[in-house]
Amino acid sequence: GQQLNQSPQSMFIQEGEDVSMNCTSSSIFNTWLWYKQDPGEGPVLLIALYKAGELTSNGRLTAQFGITRKDSFLNISASIPSDVGIYFCGYSGGGADGLTFGKGTHLIIQP
Amino acid sequence: ETGVTQTPRHLVMGMTNKKSLKCEQHLGHNAMYWYKQSAKKPLELMFVYNFKEQTENNSVPSRFSPECPNSSHLFLHLHTLQPEDSALYLCASSTRTDYGYTFGSGTRLTVV
């Protein structure tokens, strides 16, 4: 099957720091999506990327679809306490087989 | 509220029980999905319905039985589950199977 690696697995940062996480795959994909999940809730879509090289921002969040179509990163600038949660990348190869997700990056903000 | 509503939010059931999870969306989406989320594991796709037709069954045991009576409703019927089936079951919908999904809040299932 297709390998999807999301890193880091967890991050411990201070409030105000910038955050960077990424996903890489062994295959080429058509779509990269970034989600955030708060405890006890379902994932919420943050950013969707549909073109290689695409760079998209959503407030303090920025994500890019790698030019090789095998990777994507998500940056969060000036982190705040409500950024705590699990961030998932997801990809689609197209067709009717739905999305596949990475294992998630746990973001923890230390006081 | 995301537009995808799942009920119940929490469910405790015995291994001999039969129960159903319900998902409802009024976003006009054509595709609906069931995902399983266990601790320390990635989100696992279980079933995909596209225009009410099941297009994916990701090797899910037969004790999980999906039903999609129309494009707005999706059910997951459960029977003779095992303790390892305890997890958060998430429903999602989308306009297309490769577009961004909208997830519900999930049903936290505990099998005792």
Side-chain angles (χ1 to χ4, degrees):
Chain A
Q2 292 154 342
Q3 294 280 326
L4 179 65
N5 297 305
Q6 184 170 354
S7 65
Q9 188 173 4
S10 57
M11 299 184 73
F12 296 81
I13 64 165
Q14 302 283 339
E15 183 179 349
E17 285 186 29
D18 296 341
V19 173
S20 184
M21 60 190 79
N22 69 84
C23 278
T24 60
S25 70
S26 57
S27 302
I28 291 173
F29 298 118
N30 298 329
T31 303
W32 281 101
L33 303 158
W34 284 95
Y35 284 82
K36 182 194 177 198
Q37 185 174 23
D38 291 325
E41 297 296 329
V44 174
L45 181 65
L46 299 174
I47 294 177
L49 303 162
Y50 300 108
K51 282 171 53 176
E54 182 180 354
L55 182 71
T56 298
S57 293
N58 178 4
R60 293 177 296 103
L61 278 61
T62 302
Q64 183 159 31
F65 194 150
I67 198 72
T68 63
R69 292 169 63 192
K70 291 185 177 182
D71 63 324
S72 177
F73 71 75
L74 175 70
N75 288 342
I76 305 172
S77 63
S79 58
I80 60 177
S82 61
D83 291 333
V84 166
I86 305 174
Y87 292 80
F88 292 98
C89 63
Y91 69 82
S92 169
D97 54 357
L99 296 179
T100 301
F101 291 90
K103 291 186 178 182
T105 294
H106 293 240
L107 180 61
I108 299 156
I109 298 181
Q110 295 172 319
Chain B
E1 181 59 50
T2 65
V4 177
T5 304
Q6 288 187 245
T7 53
R9 288 296 306 270
H10 301 273
L11 178 62
V12 179
M13 60 186 288
M15 288 189 282
T16 59
N17 291 159
K18 287 186 181 180
K19 296 286 184 184
S20 296
L21 310 185
K22 181 182 176 183
C23 178
E24 187 173 353
Q25 60 92 7
H26 296 289
L27 300 171
H29 290 170
N30 300 313
M32 296 186 77
Y33 316 83
W34 281 115
Y35 278 84
K36 177 184 178 184
Q37 188 175 33
S38 306
K40 299 184 180 178
K41 281 184 158 184
L43 284 157
E44 299 173 62
L45 178 65
M46 299 175 73
F47 300 105
V48 179
Y49 276 83
N50 200 15
F51 291 95
K52 300 188 299 176
E53 298 296 321
Q54 184 175 313
T55 58
E56 179 81 9
N57 175 344
N58 218 14
S59 303
V60 180
S62 59
R63 56 186 185 270
F64 295 91
S65 174
E67 179 190 359
C68 188
N70 55 61
S71 57
S72 298
H73 294 86
L74 185 64
F75 295 89
L76 188 62
H77 304 299
L78 317 170
H79 65 96
T80 59
L81 294 193
Q82 304 298 312
E84 60 264 28
D85 296 323
S86 300
L88 181 68
Y89 288 84
L90 290 160
C91 173
S93 68
S94 66
T95 53
R96 282 170 39 172
T97 54
D98 58 344
Y99 272 19
Y101 293 2
T102 302
F103 281 89
S105 297
T107 295
R108 174 66 63 185
L109 174 67
T110 303
V111 181
V112 297

